[in-house]
């Protein structure tokens, strides 16, 4: 009898926690394993508590098409329409950590896509500006972020290669599509002391995740971290 009551209680409690929360906990555990395995290349061996909290809180299943919701917490990219993808959770986590976000930061994202990376960042910094070149993706991401109560993310439609001059300089810039080179306008719009994370390389070639740092004196240092695979940065530049 006690066994049944116990089982019932267990079922009731796990039901209350929701499948999403359990799935997010598993997703974060998987990210942590991958962080550890890639720490030599990335320079980041573990998640910081605040990034971990953000990953545990953002409902990733609401950023993917309804038919793919059950796969939302698997550690892989998923299609979001228009030939684009939401990045793999590990990559979102790594790019976020590499930016070293602080509560007073203003950050620019190039490649809004689903809006998931922007949502994660919005929990860690003061303001996020994010640019998307495909208008329907931008409007969907905007509506999604608004419905979830984010007030510190602004979604713009345009070619992110040129950045967003009126809100520059930025403490951090994250580019979530692969560029053939580091866009000079983005380097220009980075604050001294700021960091940019960007995949560089051709569409069918190996791309490298790069960390660009602007020193307080304005010197630009670049470091190649690890091989990655992103959709290409498009646009007329
Ligand atoms: N950060 C996204 C993943 C985006 S995939 C997420 O969390 O879901 C890359 C996105 O970059 C795609 O939506 C693509 O349309 C967009 N993109 C490609 N070239 C761009 C450009 N020049 N300017 C702005 N967005 C661009």
């Amino acid at each position: 009898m006690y066994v049944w009551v116990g089982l019932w209680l267990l079922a009731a409690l796990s039901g209350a926690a929701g499948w999403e929360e359990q799935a997010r906990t598993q997703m974060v555990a998987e990210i942590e394993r991958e962080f550890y395995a890639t720490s030599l290349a990335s320079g980041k061996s573990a998640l910081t508590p605040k990034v971990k909290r953000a990953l545990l809180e953002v409902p990733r299943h609401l950023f993917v098409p309804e038919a793919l919701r059950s796969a939302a917490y698997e550690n892989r990219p998923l299609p979001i329409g228009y030939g684009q993808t939401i990045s793999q959770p590990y990559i979102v986590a790594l790019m976020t950590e590499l930016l070293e976000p602080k509560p007073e930061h203003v950050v620019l994202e190039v490649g809004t896509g689903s809006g998931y990376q922007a949502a994660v960042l919005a929990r860690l910094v003061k303001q996020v500006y994010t640019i998307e070149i495909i208008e329907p993706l931008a409007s969907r991401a905007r509506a999604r972020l608004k419905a979830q109560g984010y007030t510190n993310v602004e979604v713009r439609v345009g070619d992110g290669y040129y950045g967003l001059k009126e809100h520059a300089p930025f403490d951090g810039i994250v580019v979530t599509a692969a560029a053939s080179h580091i866009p000079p306008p983005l380097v220009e719009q980075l604050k001294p002391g700021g960091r940019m994370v960007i995949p560089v390389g051709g569409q069918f070639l190996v791309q490298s995740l790069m960390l660009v740092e602007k020193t307080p004196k304005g010197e630009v240092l670049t470091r190649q971290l690890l091989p990655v695979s992103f959709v290409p940065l498009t646009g007329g530049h």
Side-chain angles (χ1 to χ4, degrees):
M1 150 84 168
Y2 288 119
V3 174
W4 291 116
V5 171
L7 281 178
W8 171 80
L9 206 64
L10 200 69
L13 283 176
S14 58
W19 73 272
E20 308 96 347
E21 273 170 52
Q22 290 184 23
R24 276 199 289 277
T25 305
Q26 278 173 22
M27 176 189 82
V28 167
E30 178 63 32
I31 292 172
E32 285 188 306
R33 277 195 289 276
E34 199 164 346
F35 257 64
Y36 187 72
T38 55
S39 57
L40 213 59
S42 72
K44 299 282 178 195
S45 59
L47 287 173
T48 53
K50 59 184 184 178
V51 172
K52 186 171 170 173
R53 197 178 325 123
L55 294 166
L56 286 171
E57 285 172 357
V58 179
R60 185 170 159 98
H61 64 288
L62 300 182
F63 290 84
V64 304
E66 226 168 309
L68 296 175
R69 277 198 184 159
S70 62
Y73 295 101
E74 290 172 19
N75 190 22
R76 60 183 174 106
L78 291 170
I80 54 169
Y82 302 90
Q84 306 305 320
T85 54
I86 176 173
S87 306
Q88 178 194 5
Y90 158 74
I91 285 290
V92 174
L94 181 60
M95 292 178 109
T96 306
E97 292 286 11
L98 288 168
L99 281 180
E100 299 185 353
K102 302 213 165 47
E104 67 276 15
H105 279 181
V106 177
V107 169
L108 174 71
E109 179 192 29
V110 175
T112 314
S114 67
Y116 177 71
Q117 170 79 75
V120 170
L121 283 170
R123 288 171 182 259
L124 301 163
V125 302
K126 187 171 82 182
Q127 178 71 36
V128 179
Y129 294 99
T130 178
I131 312 179
E132 171 57 54
I133 206 163
I134 300 176
E135 200 280 329
L137 285 178
S139 350
R140 279 186 213 173
R142 192 181 291 123
R144 196 175 276 146
L145 290 162
K146 191 173 173 216
Q148 290 180 31
Y150 290 95
T151 52
N152 61 339
V153 185
E154 197 176 314
V155 181
R156 294 283 184 100
V157 180
D159 186 349
Y161 180 93
Y162 301 102
L164 200 57
K165 220 169 172 182
E166 73 256 42
H167 292 293
F170 301 100
D171 299 287
I173 300 179
V174 59
V175 183
T176 64
S180 62
H181 57 274
I182 300 170
L186 296 184
V187 176
E188 207 168 292
Q189 291 175 30
L190 197 58
K191 220 181 242 182
R195 297 160 79 85
M196 166 158 57
V197 184
I198 177 171
V200 179
Q203 188 177 358
F204 302 109
L205 304 168
V206 176
Q207 304 157 2
S208 289
L209 191 65
M210 301 199 64
L211 176 64
V212 180
E213 289 173 276
K214 197 182 257 189
T215 68
K217 284 187 181 153
E219 204 186 341
V220 178
L221 309 173
T222 62
R223 228 183 316 155
Q224 211 169 311
L225 302 177
L226 67 174
V228 286
S229 177
F230 278 83
V231 294
L233 190 76
T234 59
H237 49 264

